[in-house]
Amino acid sequence: MTSQPKQMFGEPISPVGPTPADLESTTELKKLLREAGLYESPEESTVREEVLRDLQGIVDRWVKQLAFQHGYPDAMVEEATALLVPFGSYRLGVHGRGSDIDALVVGPSFADRDHDFFVVLAGALAETEAVTHLQPVPGAHVPVMKMRFRGVQVDLVYASVNLAVVPRDLDLGDRSVLRGLDHATARSLNGVRVADEILRLVPDAGAFRTALRCVKHWAKARGVYSNVSGFLGGVAWAVLVARVCQFYPNAAPSMLVPRFFKVLSQWRWPVPVMLRDIEHDAELGLPVWDGRRNPRDRAHLMPVITPAYPCMNCTYNVSVATQRIIKEQIWAGHAACQEIVAGGGRGWDALFQPFPFFRAHKSYLQLDATVARGEDELREWKGWVESRLRQLVAKVERDTAGELLCHQSPHAYDAEPRGLQCTSSFFVGLSTPQHHHQQQQQQQPRFDLRATTEEFLQDVYTYGFWRPGLAVAVKHVRRKDLPPYVMQKIRSPNSDELKRKRSDDGSSSSSPLSPSSSPSSGEDDSGRRPSRRAKLRSCIQHSNSLHGSGCNCPVEGVV
């Protein structure tokens, strides 16, 4: 399994290749991945190709329409095209059943993002029968248009390059394509450039892809796959796996996966993980992540650097809380791999056991995002609330001086709609540091988080597209009082264990903060947009009425 020689970044740790036992173990690993649905069928592959082909036709017609409206000659209108280039897991070759398609639209200089992409093209897509759940998000760090096309989730980003006509064979790897672009456009282009550069820098693309499928499967099972929640996203996990592939250039996937956890369990953060040297370009002048030059970059906790110019840290959302959880899960993965490699009957499935989030804590913060106008509005509002949730985690640990630890779940749980009113809930597990358990205190410490949650709600309600009907509420729940729609979705063959553990919380069926309490509706009786303080008032009054209710939980007075 010796790979073709490639230029390597730094010295490999070991050039050793696989033994027959390693190859057999790799076969078992691939079989498990296929059984888990991580490879799509030929039929699903055909559907994706048709989706990309049809989208290409739509963006071509869109650009021709814009060229005509700008008064260009007929010959130029006929030549006008846009590129539709997939990136992310699809471009890396690690997509599976039900995976999203991330795609870049590359348009000519006369087609801008704010109006032509997010208004004109969005309008054309809205009138397309195959398109549902269309959601433009122009304010995102990388502006994106989300949709379902024939049931396939597609995320479109846009880049307008300094060319009147975009050739079909445009080389996006050529750095000159970045000339004169703003930062948002450069970030959009970098999705494709980064994927191509990762594949160029790994010694064996096949081994890399299998190892990355394993790591992504593990990260999702263990609840640490989510960039928006402050964990790591797909690009970060890909760079980490690629770096381990560089360290072990001839290793089979069954060798790479245990070494992945071993290397990262020993990594000296905040030393950055990089696949190549950082490059600056004085002519292009785009901002580049460089902890040696930029004091702000040195504050990042787990820097994982993209390999294409301009290099960026794709883990800038990682906080003290999420870093702690990521490291804990990597250590758990390392321990599981040691047992698997040692034999004794444990197979690869032991690595991918889901993290029992609702058995790991006795207390939770429950955040309910509620809308009044149906599922499309809920998709928009809960996306905003989810993007702010890591701020609540940081505020709680800050205001309790680290004496209350937060474990955010990246998953949302949707309640059954009541007419057009829809609610989606997020959960943050609460615990105290290990030294509290070691002291075996008779009385757990108590925390009043009313001011903390009020500050968080003020932040959430700064949403630029807020309107009456959008509401969010935060409350404390015990494990035994989790809402039924959550319990139904987490029940498993281990549900008896869950019931047994719930009984440890005490026999009382009442919660100091009732899960059935209605969240603030976010509007007054007149239907007008209330002041920020008015939005919070009902939540805070509800909190005050419950404060000091004899709660034996580690939190009291939570909104």
Side-chain angles (χ1 to χ4, degrees):
M1 194 172 174
T2 303
S3 61
Q4 295 297 319
K6 291 189 179 183
Q7 183 179 0
M8 298 293 294
F9 175 60
E11 293 296 322
I13 294 175
S14 171
V16 173
T19 65
D22 293 322
L23 295 177
E24 182 180 350
S25 184
T26 294
T27 300
E28 295 173 358
L29 188 55
K30 289 181 177 179
K31 179 182 177 183
L32 186 149
L33 296 178
R34 290 191 181 280
E35 292 173 349
L38 298 186
Y39 294 86
E40 69 178 3
S41 67
E43 294 78 14
E44 290 168 320
S45 180
T46 299
V47 169
R48 289 181 187 276
E49 292 169 2
E50 292 174 349
V51 166
L52 289 171
R53 183 195 63 211
D54 291 351
L55 276 173
Q56 178 69 70
I58 291 172
V59 298
D60 279 345
R61 291 191 292 273
W62 163 69
V63 170
K64 292 181 188 299
Q65 175 191 353
L66 293 176
F68 176 78
Q69 291 173 347
H70 280 77
Y72 289 111
D74 291 346
M76 185 171 172
V77 172
E78 184 63 28
E79 281 187 46
T81 60
L83 295 183
L84 183 72
V85 188
F87 62 98
S89 62
Y90 190 86
R91 194 169 190 85
L92 289 172
V94 294
H95 58 290
R97 296 177 189 170
S99 295
D100 301 351
I101 296 178
D102 298 308
L104 166 70
V105 178
V106 183
S109 55
F110 58 80
D112 67 49
R113 179 190 299 108
D114 293 342
H115 180 264
D116 295 330
F117 181 73
F118 278 116
V119 177
V120 180
L121 180 56
L125 289 167
E127 295 175 358
T128 302
E129 184 178 355
V131 174
T132 60
H133 302 95
L134 183 65
Q135 182 187 359
V137 192
H141 183 65
V142 178
V144 63
M145 187 145 54
K146 298 174 176 288
M147 75 190 83
R148 284 195 172 272
F149 198 104
R150 293 184 182 169
V152 178
Q153 179 65 40
V154 179
D155 292 353
L156 289 184
V157 301
Y158 181 67
S160 172
V161 295
N162 289 318
L163 296 169
V165 176
V166 179
R168 289 293 189 194
D169 60 352
L170 179 65
D171 182 9
L172 297 180
D174 188 338
R175 194 177 296 183
S176 64
V177 77
L178 300 171
R179 186 168 288 113
L181 303 186
D182 59 32
H183 299 168
T185 303
R187 286 194 295 268
S188 297
L189 278 170
N190 253 18
V192 174
R193 290 164 50 80
V194 165
D196 288 347
E197 193 69 1
I198 289 174
L199 291 176
R200 187 183 73 82
L201 292 170
V202 294
D204 183 331
F208 162 75
R209 289 187 176 109
T210 302
L212 180 55
R213 286 184 188 273
C214 290
V215 169
K216 290 178 66 174
H217 186 37
W218 165 85
K220 291 175 182 178
R222 304 303 291 182
V224 289
Y225 190 101
S226 174
N227 183 61
V228 70
S229 298
F231 297 110
L232 306 190
V235 175
W237 290 118
V239 172
L240 292 175
V241 172
R243 188 67 181 116
V244 174
C245 289
Q246 290 181 331
F247 285 142
Y248 302 94
N250 299 315
S254 62
M255 303 164 65
L256 289 169
V257 172
R259 285 160 175 77
F260 171 87
F261 290 104
K262 180 178 180 180
V263 168
L264 289 182
S265 67
Q266 299 173 0
W267 197 266
R268 299 189 304 276
W269 303 105
V271 174
V273 175
M274 304 185 298
L275 301 182
R276 55 178 297 177
D277 288 322
I278 293 172
E279 294 182 338
H280 295 266
D281 191 313
E283 181 184 355
L284 293 175
L286 290 169
V288 170
W289 189 97
D290 192 339
R292 300 165 301 182
R293 299 188 182 188
N294 308 322
R296 184 176 180 180
D297 292 343
R298 289 197 289 272
H300 293 172
L301 300 176
M302 296 185 77
V304 177
I305 311 306
T306 56
Y309 176 87
C311 66
M312 307 171 189
N313 176 25
C314 54
T315 61
Y316 56 88
N317 280 342
V318 170
S319 67
V320 172
T322 54
Q323 182 189 39
R324 180 180 62 248
I325 296 162
I326 293 167
K327 291 169 73 174
E328 288 173 356
Q329 293 305 320
I330 287 173
W331 270 104
H334 178 45
C337 283
Q338 285 183 307
E339 293 185 15
I340 294 168
V341 171
R346 297 204 77 184
W348 284 110
D349 58 327
L351 177 63
F352 304 115
Q353 292 302 306
F355 178 73
F357 178 75
F358 288 105
R359 296 201 299 272
H361 308 281
K362 292 186 177 182
S363 294
Y364 298 85
L365 292 181
Q366 177 179 331
L367 289 84
D368 295 330
T370 301
V371 301
R373 297 178 183 86
E375 293 182 358
D376 287 346
E377 188 174 64
L378 178 64
R379 193 175 301 105
E380 169 201 348
W381 179 234
K382 80 175 182 180
W384 169 254
V385 173
E386 181 184 20
S387 73
R388 312 314 298 167
L389 184 52
R390 65 180 186 273
Q391 303 298 333
L392 175 62
V393 168
K395 293 177 192 299
V396 168
E397 296 204 353
R398 175 202 66 192
D399 291 351
T400 61
E403 293 299 292
L404 187 62
L405 303 182
C406 295
H407 184 163
Q408 175 183 345
S409 170
H411 304 295
Y413 296 85
D414 294 344
E416 286 294 324
R418 297 180 179 179
L420 290 178
Q421 180 175 309
C422 299
T423 297
S424 190
S425 300
F426 298 92
F427 293 87
V428 178
L430 303 174
S431 61
T432 51
Q434 191 63 33
H435 66 262
H436 284 302
H437 303 292
Q438 293 172 345
Q439 292 171 0
Q440 296 182 341
Q441 297 177 342
Q442 294 296 319
Q443 180 68 35
Q444 285 188 338
R446 299 166 72 87
F447 305 97
D448 185 348
L449 298 181
R450 286 175 296 175
T452 305
T453 51
E454 178 178 351
E455 180 185 348
F456 168 72
L457 291 172
Q458 288 176 343
D459 177 45
V460 171
Y461 281 118
T462 61
Y463 182 51
F465 301 97
W466 186 91
R467 53 196 176 273
L470 304 183
V472 62
V474 185
K475 56 190 174 186
H476 167 255
V477 294
R478 300 284 294 272
R479 182 168 59 203
K480 63 185 180 64
D481 297 315
L482 289 168
Y485 57 88
V486 174
M487 299 305 300
Q488 290 170 1
K489 293 179 180 179
I490 65 175
R491 284 197 178 102
S492 67
N494 295 323
S495 58
D496 290 340
E497 180 186 353
L498 176 59
K499 293 176 183 177
R500 185 171 62 252
K501 287 179 175 291
R502 286 175 62 191
S503 68
D504 295 339
D505 294 337
S507 58
S508 172
S509 61
S510 62
S511 170
L513 295 175
S514 172
S516 61
S517 300
S518 300
S520 168
S521 67
E523 60 183 282
D524 60 19
D525 293 336
S526 66
R528 296 173 301 188
R529 177 170 180 160
S531 67
R532 186 179 299 165
R533 182 163 295 279
K535 294 177 199 173
L536 300 172
R537 188 174 298 124
S538 63
C539 285
I540 296 171
Q541 288 173 345
H542 173 66
S543 168
N544 289 340
S545 68
L546 293 168
H547 182 54
S549 60
C551 169
N552 292 322
C553 318
V555 184
E556 63 178 13
V558 177
V559 176

